[in-house]
Amino acid sequence: MIMAAPAVASETSSVENMPETANGPTENSAEAQKRPQFGTRFLTDPRQVFQHNAWDNVEWSAEQEEAAQKKVQENSQPLPAEKQEEFDCRANEYWNDFYTIHENRFFKDRHWLFTEFPELAPQQRVPQDTTAHLLNGEGSPSSPTDTTFPGASASYRILEVGCGVGNTVFPILKTNNDPGLFVYGCDFSSTAVDLVKSNPEYDSSRCHAFVHDMSDASAEYPMPDHSLDVIVLIFVLSALHPEKMQNSINRLARLLKPGGVLLLRDYGRYDMAQLRFKKGRCLSENFYVRGDGTRVYFFTQDELHDLFSSAGLEKVQNLVDRRLQVNRGKQLTMYRVWVQCKYRKVQAPP
C-alpha cells in the first residue's frame, strides 16, 4: 500500500514513540523481543494504521519522495569549514559527554539482533573450515601473537564496533552460550567502554572491551588479521566522516576470516531523523551534526554496496527497511528508513 506524504512538521514532535539518540533509535524492549523479522506486517488498509505500533516495507508515493528530497535540499547549506573542523577535532569530547549524560539508563538491549542477524545465535552459526584457513597460512598456531591476544583460544569470535554501553554485547553473551564464543566490543568513547567494563555481566573470560577509533585506519586492533567470524556495525558507520569510511571498512575486512561476515544496520536516505534537521546542521551532502555535537550520515544501498565491495566483500544481503511507526496515543506517524546489510569475505581458493 502506497502511503500519502505525511506532513514533515508532524514528525518533529514524535520522539516519544521512538527516541532518537546518537547511538541509534531505541525501541520498546518488550515490543522488540516480540517483533518478527521485518517485512512480515503490511498495511493494506490505511484506516487500520493505528492498530499496531509499526508496519513493514511501507512503499512511499512519488509525492512523499519528492517532499523528502525538497526538505533535505532546503537544509543542505553546509556549515563553514572552521566549524566543521571543530566538530571533527572535538568528536571524542562530544561522545564522552553523550555517554556521561545518558550512561546506561536510556538504552534498550537489542534483542531484535537475533531475528535479523541469526549469525549471532549459536544454533545458526556455520563453523569455519579451520583446515582451509591453516593451509592458507591464516590463524596459524605457530604465530606467537595468536596465543597472546584476548580470546586467542576461542573458536568463534564476534566484534562489535561502536559498542556503546553494551546493548549488543551483553545480549549476545546472554543468548549465545557456545563455550567457544568470545565477544569483543570497542568504542570511540572511553566513557562508554568504562560503563561496559563496570557492568556486572562483564566477564573478561568471554569478552574484551577496548577504546578504539575506527576512523583511524592505522590504529591497531587487539586481535590479528583473519581472526574474526563476525563484525557488527549497528548505527555506527554513519557517525564517521564520509571521507574516512572506505579506509575504515578496508581495515575491518582484513580482520575477518575467509567466509566471515560483516553485519550492518544504519540510517537510510530520507529517514525521519534526516528530515528533522534544521538549517545550520548540515556538514556536507547527507551528513549532519546533532545538537550534542555528534554527527550522522544517511546512506543509500548503493553507497554501502560500493564501500563493502571495494573492501573485497561480497553481498549476502542489502535491504532497505522502510517502516511506518505510529504513536497510537498521540495519533502520530513516523517514517523510518534503515539499511540492513550482510557482506561476506570471499573464501580463499584451495
Side-chain angles (χ1 to χ4, degrees):
M1 171 66 69
I2 298 178
M3 299 298 295
V8 174
S10 70
E11 296 177 332
T12 61
S13 60
S14 57
V15 183
E16 295 86 353
N17 187 62
M18 172 59 80
E20 192 70 42
T21 76
N23 202 39
T26 66
E27 293 181 273
N28 176 279
S29 58
E31 185 71 19
Q33 287 179 287
K34 292 187 298 181
R35 182 171 63 81
Q37 191 166 9
F38 79 78
T40 59
R41 178 180 286 168
F42 304 106
L43 179 63
T44 56
D45 183 354
R47 293 172 299 180
Q48 303 297 315
V49 65
F50 293 108
Q51 294 300 308
H52 296 286
N53 290 333
W55 301 93
D56 295 307
N57 291 346
V58 176
E59 186 178 351
W60 285 27
S61 66
E63 178 190 8
Q64 185 172 353
E65 189 89 18
E66 183 179 344
Q69 292 174 355
K70 182 179 179 181
K71 181 69 175 177
V72 168
Q73 187 62 36
E74 288 174 354
N75 301 329
S76 61
Q77 182 65 33
L79 290 171
E82 58 270 20
K83 287 294 293 182
Q84 298 204 34
E85 181 68 20
E86 176 186 344
F87 287 119
D88 194 56
C89 293
R90 297 179 62 189
N92 181 265
E93 175 186 338
Y94 290 129
W95 279 108
N96 280 331
D97 288 347
F98 173 82
Y99 286 109
T100 298
I101 294 170
H102 295 289
E103 294 185 342
N104 58 3
R105 296 185 298 267
F106 185 76
F107 309 103
K108 304 295 183 183
D109 285 349
R110 292 163 170 161
H111 297 284
W112 56 265
L113 282 171
F114 305 100
T115 302
E116 309 299 353
F117 298 133
E119 294 84 355
L120 302 175
Q123 68 272 21
Q124 297 291 338
R125 74 174 174 88
V126 179
Q128 298 294 322
D129 187 345
T130 304
T131 303
H133 292 169
L134 294 178
L135 288 174
N136 284 301
E138 297 159 0
S140 170
S142 63
S143 172
T145 58
D146 283 357
T147 62
T148 58
F149 71 93
S153 62
S155 58
Y156 198 73
R157 304 185 189 95
I158 298 172
L159 165 66
E160 186 192 12
V161 182
C163 65
V165 298
N167 301 108
T168 295
V169 169
F170 292 121
I172 292 175
L173 291 172
K174 289 179 189 176
T175 303
N176 193 331
N177 57 5
D178 182 347
L181 172 71
F182 196 87
V183 180
Y184 306 89
C186 67
D187 202 279
F188 187 39
S189 167
S190 59
T191 302
V193 172
D194 287 343
L195 287 167
V196 171
K197 289 184 174 181
S198 65
N199 191 306
E201 297 177 3
Y202 184 80
D203 180 356
S204 59
S205 69
R206 299 189 67 211
C207 61
H208 176 66
F210 59 99
V211 178
H212 189 86
D213 179 5
M214 71 173 293
S215 69
D216 182 359
S218 65
E220 292 295 324
Y221 285 87
M223 73 290 292
D225 291 351
H226 317 297
S227 64
L228 298 177
D229 295 274
V230 180
I231 295 175
V232 184
L233 297 170
I234 305 296
F235 297 104
V236 64
L237 187 62
S238 53
L240 270 62
H241 193 289
E243 293 179 357
K244 297 181 179 180
M245 291 179 183
Q246 186 64 69
N247 285 339
S248 299
I249 295 299
N250 292 347
R251 181 68 188 93
L252 289 175
R254 297 213 313 267
L255 295 174
L256 284 173
K257 297 175 182 177
V261 293
L262 189 152
L263 311 176
L264 173 140
R265 190 171 177 84
D266 220 321
Y267 295 102
R269 190 69 46 85
Y270 307 136
D271 176 62
M272 178 190 76
Q274 183 177 17
L275 303 185
R276 283 167 49 190
F277 277 108
K278 305 298 184 183
K279 292 181 180 179
R281 289 293 169 187
C282 183
L283 298 172
S284 61
E285 192 172 3
N286 301 301
F287 189 45
Y288 303 84
V289 61
R290 300 183 180 94
D292 61 6
T294 61
R295 297 172 297 177
V296 59
Y297 186 85
F298 295 87
F299 293 100
T300 65
Q301 289 173 277
D302 289 343
E303 287 173 338
L304 287 168
H305 179 74
D306 289 344
L307 285 171
F308 296 139
S309 60
S310 296
L313 306 177
E314 61 181 7
K315 183 177 76 172
V316 177
Q317 180 188 78
N318 186 323
L319 302 173
V320 172
D321 180 4
R322 293 183 183 271
R323 186 168 300 168
L324 172 60
Q325 294 179 329
V326 301
N327 184 318
R328 288 186 277 181
K330 294 180 178 293
Q331 297 285 289
L332 296 172
T333 59
M334 298 167 285
Y335 289 81
R336 305 313 308 260
V337 183
W338 301 318
V339 185
Q340 181 167 301
C341 296
K342 300 181 187 182
Y343 278 75
R344 188 178 305 279
K345 189 170 185 178
V346 179
Q347 290 276 9

